[in-house]
Amino acid sequence: MEWYIPFLIFLARIGDVSIGTVRTMLMLQGYRLTAASLGVIEVTIWVLAVAGVVTNLTEPTAIAGYALGFGTGVYVGVWIEDKLALGYRMVRIVCTEESVHLPDHLREKGFRVTQVNGKGREAHVHIAFTVIKRKELAQLRHAVAEVAPKAFVTVERVDRHEGASFGDVRAIRRRRLLRQHVRK
């Protein structure tokens, strides 16, 4: 066996497993055609990797390259999917009476917020709901921490949303940021 075969098997497994991870996430988000296209690429690379291992079954380095490539591919695939940050999230923020102005603060930052009152174990609480693009999650968490650092925040994946466009929210957010910049 040539010395580079285990390395090629390793790289092939990183490729096909990474693509498979991203393909699965795209499928869950409803990107059917893209997921199917990635599936064709994924299985082609997989067949080549398996052929390399089957041809060299008596070589422990070929088997190690296959196994290590799989583990590394899972890691790389999750990293890629995290960077893509596709989809939407529903965020629920529970805070105390002292943080009653949180929804207004979030609206100033351009988020759409619905607020309801509730009763916790020891006090009245306010519950704010918003649906955001997953890419905006860090920005939302930062905005919540500015006003209500002790708020209880939960995040759930949203399969579908209907109604108002997120483009409207971005336009509102840009106008507010522009006004703030002009004031300075």
Side-chain angles (χ1 to χ4, degrees):
M1 179 176 77
E2 300 293 330
W3 66 269
Y4 56 85
I5 298 295
F7 184 67
L8 290 177
I9 293 169
F10 173 76
L11 290 178
R13 286 304 283 162
I14 290 173
D16 86 85
V17 174
S18 297
I19 291 170
T21 302
V22 172
R23 177 189 52 79
T24 301
M25 296 302 170
L26 288 171
M27 204 168 43
L28 291 172
Q29 296 294 330
Y31 296 92
R32 294 178 184 156
L33 187 57
T34 305
S37 301
L38 286 176
V40 171
I41 296 167
E42 172 192 0
V43 78
T44 302
I45 296 170
W46 179 82
V47 166
L48 295 172
V50 168
V53 171
V54 170
T55 304
N56 299 290
L57 268 179
T58 58
E59 297 291 334
T61 55
I63 295 168
Y66 188 88
L68 290 170
F70 180 85
T72 306
V74 169
Y75 183 85
V76 170
V78 170
W79 179 82
I80 291 169
E81 196 279 329
D82 191 48
K83 294 300 176 195
L84 291 173
L86 298 172
Y88 297 90
R89 297 295 180 259
M90 195 272 290
V91 182
R92 182 183 306 110
I93 308 155
V94 180
C95 54
T96 60
E97 294 280 321
E98 295 84 39
S99 302
V100 72
H101 55 285
L102 175 66
D104 293 330
H105 178 70
L106 294 177
R107 288 182 190 111
E108 286 174 11
K109 300 283 185 181
F111 296 103
R112 293 182 177 187
V113 181
T114 300
Q115 179 182 351
V116 296
N117 295 321
K119 176 129 176 61
R121 188 171 90 184
E122 299 174 8
H124 288 281
V125 294
H126 298 282
I127 306 166
F129 295 92
T130 186
V131 175
I132 60 170
K133 288 188 173 185
R134 184 171 157 206
K135 292 179 181 182
E136 300 173 334
L137 188 56
Q139 181 184 357
L140 177 74
R141 285 184 171 167
H142 179 71
V144 170
E146 289 175 341
V147 178
K150 293 183 179 180
F152 180 73
V153 180
T154 60
V155 180
E156 299 174 35
R157 188 170 71 84
V158 174
D159 287 333
R160 291 178 175 76
H161 74 283
E162 295 180 17
S165 158
F166 278 86
D168 298 341
V169 175
R170 285 192 298 272
I172 292 167
R173 190 175 300 148
R174 278 193 299 269
R175 284 193 298 269
R176 285 184 180 149
L177 289 173
L178 182 61
R179 280 192 300 247
Q180 290 172 354
H181 182 70
V182 169
R183 288 181 202 152
K184 292 178 183 180

